[in-house]
Amino acid sequence: MNLSSRPFHAPAIQSPDPFRGRHIYMIGVGGCGMSGLARLLRAKGGIISGSDMARSSSTESLAAEGIEVGFDQASGVLPEACDLIVASAAIKPDHPQMLQADRRGVKHLTYAEALGACMAGYTGVAVAGTHGKSTTTAMLGCVLGSAGLDPSVIVGATCSQLGPGGGYRIGAEMIPIGAMAGQPGILVAEACEFNRSFHNYRPRLAAITSIEADHLDIYGSLDAVVESFHEFAKLIPSDDDGGSLLIAHQGAHRREVTAGLKCEVKTIGFSPEADWFVQYDPATRHTAVRIRGDGLLNEWITPLPG
């Protein structure tokens, strides 16, 4: 899954931007992911405002950037100019502002639906997994930025290295350098399996870090969780169209998840049998990654093992 050398065939026709010029009201806009999405939607031409339960450093930052945020959610009041609602995963259908949107006939999207619609216009990179997806997403975003690829990044956690906002980075509309220069810009996003929300994403490249029995109130069984990750992986386009999945060699039920996929599939892990073999020395904090058959890919000293 190498952005500097992977073949890429852009769709012949790009779909029109569904957000440009629209008045978008975001309920729960102060959350890590939602505040990053607010900036991304604005960068795509949306006119953004929103609400949250209480003031925070996140809402203050949004206000300082000209995004109006209100805190009277209980009244159910929405701006007069409002033709799309985007609601965080925590917002229930009986929320006063959601009920008002229904009365007014205003369309609403979940956070995941809106982010997925954004990803359709980018070179999407989705990071999924029961554990490690926030950290991996943030680290990948930082690495791609340092490599000069200027990605946009949406992660549901804070990471000061991404910039002042912590949980987001707004990058270039087109990839600036490398073999994919001129193609749609990179959007790296954390892909959460809760409520199957990651089925809304449209990644060209994806990673799965691990799969365990989680969110069983939604899924009911580990088998259902694994099947949901399989459905997520099926969203990746074929290898001929540049689709690629990097999945943990162990701990991610890779045989079940990757069965029948048409995209490129590579594994990563501490086993020498993995396509990307990771070696870590805790004494020296030295990490090396080797590609099976091709030798050393890269090596570095890291303060963060894993």
Side-chain angles (χ1 to χ4, degrees):
M1 194 167 65
N2 186 335
L3 282 169
S4 64
S5 61
R6 279 286 294 155
F8 182 91
H9 305 286
I13 299 175
Q14 296 289 339
S15 59
D17 192 326
F19 302 109
R20 186 165 301 279
R22 300 188 73 176
H23 292 265
I24 304 169
Y25 191 82
M26 304 184 67
I27 306 175
V29 72
C32 287
M34 284 284 284
S35 60
L37 180 60
R39 275 99 171 185
L40 186 64
L41 292 174
R42 185 173 63 172
K44 293 179 72 62
I47 303 163
I48 312 300
S49 60
S51 70
D52 215 300
M53 293 180 61
R55 297 181 188 277
S56 65
S57 58
S58 178
T59 62
E60 294 298 321
S61 177
L62 288 166
E65 295 175 34
I67 296 177
E68 183 178 348
V69 182
F71 303 96
D72 182 17
Q73 293 185 330
S75 69
V77 173
L78 294 174
E80 183 176 346
C82 175
D83 51 31
L84 178 65
I85 297 288
V86 176
S88 81
I91 302 300
K92 305 299 183 184
D94 61 355
H95 186 282
Q97 289 180 312
M98 292 290 282
L99 293 174
Q100 176 66 5
D102 288 337
R103 284 191 288 269
R104 286 174 48 176
V106 178
K107 180 179 179 180
H108 40 80
L109 299 174
T110 64
Y111 163 83
E113 288 170 337
L115 182 53
C118 282
M119 188 172 284
Y122 283 86
T123 299
V125 182
V127 180
T130 307
H131 304 293
K133 54 184 173 289
S134 296
T135 304
T136 303
T137 302
M139 293 176 71
L140 179 59
C142 291
V143 168
L144 292 174
S146 297
L149 291 166
D150 198 12
S152 294
V153 184
I154 304 291
V155 60
T158 56
C159 174
S160 59
Q161 291 92 336
L162 286 174
Y168 71 93
R169 183 186 195 279
I170 306 302
E173 292 186 2
M174 298 292 179
I175 298 175
I177 61 173
M180 294 168 63
Q183 298 294 349
I186 299 165
L187 172 56
V188 182
E190 178 180 350
C192 182
E193 73 277 12
F194 174 74
N195 211 22
R196 297 177 172 84
S197 60
F198 61 173
H199 292 175
N200 293 286
Y201 292 3
R202 294 297 177 265
R204 187 160 300 277
L205 310 171
I208 297 175
T209 63
S210 62
I211 300 176
E212 295 181 11
D214 200 11
H215 302 301
L216 293 184
D217 55 327
I218 301 294
Y219 288 103
S221 69
L222 174 59
D223 287 344
V225 175
V226 173
E227 175 61 24
S228 186
F229 275 88
H230 175 61
E231 291 300 317
F232 165 73
K234 285 166 61 178
L235 297 171
I236 305 167
S238 70
D239 186 24
D240 289 341
D241 289 325
S244 183
L245 171 66
L246 181 64
I247 186 169
H249 189 79
Q250 296 171 306
H253 299 266
R254 59 183 175 84
R255 290 181 178 85
E256 295 87 349
V257 171
T258 63
L261 295 185
K262 296 181 180 180
C263 64
E264 175 193 57
V265 176
K266 297 291 185 181
T267 66
I268 185 169
F270 296 107
S271 168
E273 296 179 356
D275 295 310
W276 291 14
F277 170 37
V278 181
Q279 296 172 296
Y280 176 70
D281 183 349
T284 62
R285 298 184 301 174
H286 182 268
T287 299
V289 178
R290 301 180 183 278
I291 298 180
R292 188 152 51 96
D294 288 337
L296 183 67
L297 171 66
N298 209 336
E299 57 186 339
W300 61 90
I301 304 295
T302 177
L304 183 64

